[in-house]
């Protein structure tokens, strides 16, 4: 299982204020949507996509539709603070004014709603590119108006924009007498191997989020969990478009049992006192880091 998140280095200069699951519940911000009833207006926002990169203007914000060359193939992404957002696949990126960014780079520098909408734009464009033909009868699929879906005109097969779900678990155990609790952090066998991250993995079909948390922790470090509690979630576009990360806190059922890394996905697992966490932590814009910081801040 590929680690879905939290193993990518970041400057830590992300949107620290207001970052975290609570921020996405604030009401304003980005709302995903697929409505096509009204055509793009010049003042609407545009998020052109080229490959796995998105365009921003010179000041880092998204351009307006009216600032870009006319085109008829804008796809709806949703709204940002009530303003419609559109995306399109661009084949001549150098022809547009502004600069192109990977989602990781963007997420490290813009506010969380902007990173989320850029991730959805990447997902919408990627979905159309990878779902051009019917997987059952090979006819050409067509967009379903108003929905994030494509349908086959011949056999009726409907393909929905795919979403992968992954869980992350911040596992703690009591420290020695008079010392703070300890947090389990792991290093991965691939990706940025120097980071200390959380145990994580994708949810299987037929599995609950909590079931995936128990299974991944059992597989990767051989521990049994107790008091598994939901923390929050974050749309994540780094492991490919369309990933949702669900974070959990948990304690170990038996604090005397030490973690055994599987050597396939992990190289190291270590308990760190909450007042002496390593410097090499996941980036500030990731739910991995929000979880670690929240656990470390517990009284
Ligand atoms: Zn078909």
């Amino acid at each position: 299982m590929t680690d879905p998140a939290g193993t990518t280095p970041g400057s830590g200069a992300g949107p620290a204020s207001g970052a975290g699951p609570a921020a996405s519940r604030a009401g304003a911000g980005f709302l995903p949507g697929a409505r096509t009833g009204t055509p793009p207006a010049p003042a609407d926002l545009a998020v052109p996509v080229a490959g796995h990169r998105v365009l921003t203007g010179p000041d880092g914000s998204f351009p307006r539709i009216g600032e870009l060359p006319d085109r008829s193939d804008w796809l709806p992404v949703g709204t940002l603070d009530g303003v419609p957002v559109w995306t399109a696949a661009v084949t001549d990126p150098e022809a547009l004014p502004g600069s192109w960014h990977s989602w990781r780079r963007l997420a490290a520098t813009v506010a969380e709603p902007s990173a989320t909408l850029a991730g959805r734009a990447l997902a919408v464009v990627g979905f159309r590119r990878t779902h051009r033909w019917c997987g059952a009868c090979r006819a050409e699929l067509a967009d379903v108006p108003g929905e994030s879906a494509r349908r086959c005109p011949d056999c009726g097969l409907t393909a929905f924009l795919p979403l992968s779900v992954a869980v992350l678990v911040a596992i703690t155990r009591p420290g020695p007498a008079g010392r703070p609790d300890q947090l389990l952090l792991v290093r991965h066998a691939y990706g940025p191997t120097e980071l200390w991250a959380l145990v994580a993995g994708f949810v299987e079909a037929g599995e609950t989020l909590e079931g995936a948390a128990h299974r991944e922790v059992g597989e990767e470090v051989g521990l049994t969990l107790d008091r598994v509690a939901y923390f929050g979630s974050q749309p994540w576009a780094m492991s490919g478009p369309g990933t949702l990360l669900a974070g959990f806190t948990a304690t170990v059922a038996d604090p005397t049992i030490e973690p055994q890394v599987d050597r396939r996905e992990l190289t190291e697992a270590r308990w760190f006192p909450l007042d002496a966490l390593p410097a090499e932590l996941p980036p500030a814009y990731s739910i991995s880091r929000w979880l670690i910081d929240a656990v470390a801040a517990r009284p």
Side-chain angles (χ1 to χ4, degrees):
M1 182 70 59
T2 305
D3 171 52
T7 56
T8 304
S11 62
S17 63
S24 59
R25 286 195 292 268
F30 175 61
L31 290 174
R35 288 178 58 173
T36 51
T38 313
D44 290 354
L45 290 168
V47 188
V49 169
H52 297 287
R53 295 179 304 157
V54 299
L55 182 75
T56 65
D59 63 349
S61 63
F62 296 114
R64 303 281 171 175
I65 289 281
E67 296 166 359
L68 299 174
D70 276 345
R71 58 190 303 156
S72 58
D73 59 348
W74 291 111
L75 300 164
V77 177
T79 58
L80 181 66
D81 296 329
V83 178
V85 183
W86 304 84
T87 189
V90 170
T91 51
D92 54 346
E94 304 314 320
L96 297 183
S99 44
W100 294 89
H101 306 286
S102 67
W103 186 79
R104 180 177 79 192
R105 183 186 157 96
L106 199 71
T109 52
V110 301
E112 188 200 345
S114 293
T116 303
L117 85 82
R120 180 170 167 87
L122 287 163
V124 167
V125 168
F127 173 57
R128 282 182 113 253
R129 182 174 58 80
T130 57
H131 290 73
R132 186 170 170 195
W133 310 104
C134 177
C137 79
R138 306 184 196 183
E140 186 158 15
L141 299 177
D143 287 338
V144 181
E147 294 184 38
S148 302
R150 311 245 308 149
R151 184 172 295 145
C152 176
D154 288 357
C155 77
L157 179 139
T158 304
F160 294 92
L161 200 157
L163 181 66
S164 302
V165 183
V167 293
L168 306 97
V169 196
I171 310 163
T172 54
R173 73 174 182 183
R179 297 283 295 131
D181 285 358
Q182 299 175 340
L183 173 67
L184 185 74
L185 295 173
V186 298
R187 277 179 157 159
H188 286 82
Y190 36 81
T193 53
E194 75 284 3
L195 279 190
W196 287 101
L198 299 175
V199 174
F202 285 98
V203 179
E204 296 286 344
E207 190 171 49
T208 63
L209 297 174
E210 295 82 353
H214 284 284
R215 178 183 53 77
E216 285 288 345
V217 169
E219 287 175 1
E220 296 194 358
V221 291
L223 295 177
T224 302
L225 296 179
D226 199 7
R227 294 164 58 195
V228 176
Y230 179 70
F231 169 79
S233 61
Q234 181 187 26
W236 189 253
M238 203 178 298
S239 322
T243 300
L244 179 67
L245 303 179
F248 289 86
T249 58
T251 57
V252 277
D254 183 347
T256 67
I257 297 178
E258 292 301 322
Q260 302 288 328
V261 298
D262 66 357
R263 295 280 160 202
R264 193 170 53 90
E265 296 180 34
L266 302 182
T267 58
E268 247 182 307
R270 195 188 297 175
W271 293 104
F272 288 90
L274 285 174
D275 62 353
L277 296 178
E280 305 85 1
L281 291 175
Y285 56 86
S286 66
I287 191 173
S288 298
R289 185 59 171 273
W290 305 340
L291 259 167
I292 292 169
D293 289 349
V295 168
R298 283 198 304 224

